[in-house]
Amino acid sequence: MKYKFGILIFVILCHIHISAQKEDRKIIQDFELELEGEYRYFYEEAFFEGQKDHFPSLGITPEYSLEWNRGYESINFKGFFRLDVDDERTHWDIRELYYQKVQDNWELSLGLKKVYWGVTESNHLVDIINQTDAVEAFDGEEKLGQPMAQFTWTTEKYGSFNFFYLPYHRKRTFPGRKGRLRFPVVIDKDDLTYESSAEEWRQDFAFRWKHYFGIFDIGLSHFYGTGREPLFVFDILGNIDAFYPVINQTGLDLQITHGAFLWKIESIYRHADAQEFFAFVAGLEYTFSNIDGNGLDIGLLGEYLYDERDELALNALQNDVFFGSRIAFNDTQDTSILIGGITDLESSSKIFSMEASRRFGSTWTAEIEARILTDIDPNELILSNFREDSFIRISISKYF
């Protein structure tokens, strides 16, 4: 069904394109293509039967943009395809395919789009518009394209107001039998049900206000609709039942810039018939700039994470602290490193991470990532299933 929606959007955008050619013949087009070779290695013995250790894969990301009417109107496309050993991780997606019109102090977007909200490093609580691409990245940073109509009204005095109409819900995909970072029971996304009788076609709405006052940069948001996180219920035999509840979520994100300090907070209150909870992330980042006189920046990060759901939190971050460092060399190769660790304050569970990237020449980029799970408490219902799933990922990308 989601692909039929994508075809409909494509037909509409083609019609807009033809109309644009009639109105303004000065059209600017741009096409980019990324080819990625990736290898993930899970160096500990698999916890569940059928899981593999080695996962070579190929990723393809095409991007296309078209502008006319002096740049005030555009069509933007970003696709994605991955071929992987895990059948469920072999997938394709339209990350973005939308028409955008900008006029004076407002803009309108129609189609599939990615929208990001949030300021903290370790967990993005308020970021709720797009569904997580759970098979693509462990940290939840990758998102699926979300069908939407977005209207933004910007004022100098009162900030910006964003209104979202979300006509279709996209389900989260989970690793298959061969995949790692999964539950003992392989979850088929099509088996997950909905609280709403309209299922994925329930009409959802969201709003966000964003403004700044001196050193304060603040965002307030509210989402009403089918939640992006499924609600998991475990029975005494270990079987899993999951469904997508209808939720109301109010969010706050705040960043305070004071010299080299960045103070950050994200907080949400979510209400559903089956669940109600409060969660927040608060912390700071301090940056030592141009340490060696050649542009080296080193940032120190610290955050506290709290979630009332306790061990039932899908992200397993319910009472934890995060410490990390962001290193930017600011060289011509755009070399950067992010290292950090999350420690549970109520148990021995710890997650360490490292991400580094460097450009070679003008069209090649290499990345390395490591996620190490250690001393995971077996009483943690979510994270305990992944306790043997520490991994190293290496990727090389070519840009055209």
Side-chain angles (χ1 to χ4, degrees), residues 196-215:
S196 170
S197 59
E199 298 184 336
E200 65 266 42
W201 288 104
R202 189 187 189 282
Q203 310 302 286
D204 302 336
F205 301 90
F207 166 79
R208 185 171 191 248
W209 169 73
K210 184 173 177 59
H211 199 21
Y212 65 90
F213 307 91
I215 64 173

Side-chain angles (χ1 to χ4, degrees), residues 55-320:
F55 293 86
S57 69
L58 173 67
I60 304 174
T61 305
E63 294 187 53
Y64 173 75
S65 66
L66 181 149
E67 295 182 357
W68 69 95
N69 190 16
R70 301 184 304 278
Y72 289 106
E73 294 184 79
S74 64
I75 293 175
N76 304 275
F77 166 77
K78 184 176 182 178
F80 178 76
F81 171 77
R82 181 172 298 284
L83 179 65
D84 193 87
V85 173
D86 179 7
D87 293 338
E88 292 299 324
R89 198 169 185 252
T90 296
H91 66 300
W92 68 273
D93 180 47
I94 300 176
R95 297 298 203 214
E96 294 190 312
L97 177 57
Y98 66 94
Y99 161 76
Q100 184 176 64
K101 180 176 177 61
V102 179
Q103 185 71 41
D104 297 328
N105 63 339
W106 62 267
E107 64 180 63
L108 174 68
S109 298
L110 299 172
L112 290 95
K113 191 177 179 182
K114 290 173 64 176
V115 175
Y116 173 74
W117 299 345
V119 295
T120 55
E121 182 66 39
S122 56
N123 194 16
H124 307 305
L125 289 172
V126 301
D127 191 29
I128 194 174
I129 294 294
N130 294 82
Q131 177 61 275
T132 298
D133 190 344
V135 295
E136 185 60 26
F138 174 74
D139 56 10
E141 296 285 345
E142 293 295 333
K143 302 289 183 177
L144 301 177
Q146 170 62 45
M148 70 174 68
Q150 177 187 0
F151 178 79
T152 301
W153 178 46
T154 303
T155 68
E156 291 186 7
K157 186 176 181 180
Y158 301 107
S160 63
F161 301 83
N162 284 268
F163 303 87
F164 298 86
Y165 166 61
L166 311 168
Y168 184 81
H169 177 272
R170 302 194 60 186
K171 290 184 175 181
R172 184 174 300 192
T173 301
F174 297 90
R177 186 172 184 272
K178 298 178 183 178
R180 291 295 195 104
L181 299 163
R182 69 168 174 85
F183 296 110
V185 177
V186 176
I187 299 176
D188 186 338
K189 69 176 183 179
D190 294 328
D191 291 338
L192 273 65
T193 59
Y194 288 92
E195 178 182 352
S196 170
S197 59
E199 298 184 336
E200 65 266 42
W201 288 104
R202 189 187 189 282
Q203 310 302 286
D204 302 336
F205 301 90
F207 166 79
R208 185 171 191 248
W209 169 73
K210 184 173 177 59
H211 199 21
Y212 65 90
F213 307 91
I215 64 173
F216 297 91
D217 195 335
I218 186 171
L220 290 173
S221 60
H222 188 79
F223 173 92
Y224 172 57
T226 299
R228 276 38 183 164
E229 285 185 348
L231 182 61
F232 286 88
V233 179
F234 298 84
D235 65 22
I236 59 175
L237 299 177
N239 297 316
I240 302 173
D241 184 24
F243 69 96
Y244 290 96
V246 175
I247 67 171
N248 272 283
Q249 176 174 305
T250 301
L252 163 70
D253 58 279
L254 174 66
Q255 180 169 288
I256 303 172
T257 304
H258 184 248
F261 280 98
L262 291 178
W263 302 85
K264 306 176 182 182
I265 186 170
E266 288 188 33
S267 177
I268 63 169
Y269 170 74
R270 185 183 300 175
H271 172 78
D273 289 343
Q275 187 183 66
E276 184 176 357
F277 70 92
F278 167 78
F280 75 90
V281 183
L284 60 87
E285 178 175 354
Y286 182 85
T287 301
F288 298 92
S289 301
N290 197 22
I291 294 176
D292 61 350
N294 293 312
L296 177 64
D297 296 339
I298 298 180
L300 302 179
L301 305 98
E303 294 177 350
Y304 171 70
L305 306 95
Y306 173 76
D307 192 314
E308 280 187 333
R309 289 175 294 178
D310 202 25
E311 69 271 5
L312 289 176
L314 188 58
N315 54 27
L317 304 174
Q318 66 277 2
N319 186 20
D320 303 65

Side-chain angles (χ1 to χ4, degrees), residues 18-25 68-69 73:
I18 294 172
S19 300
Q21 289 181 313
K22 295 179 180 178
E23 295 174 3
D24 189 340
R25 295 186 179 278
W68 69 95
N69 190 16
E73 294 184 79

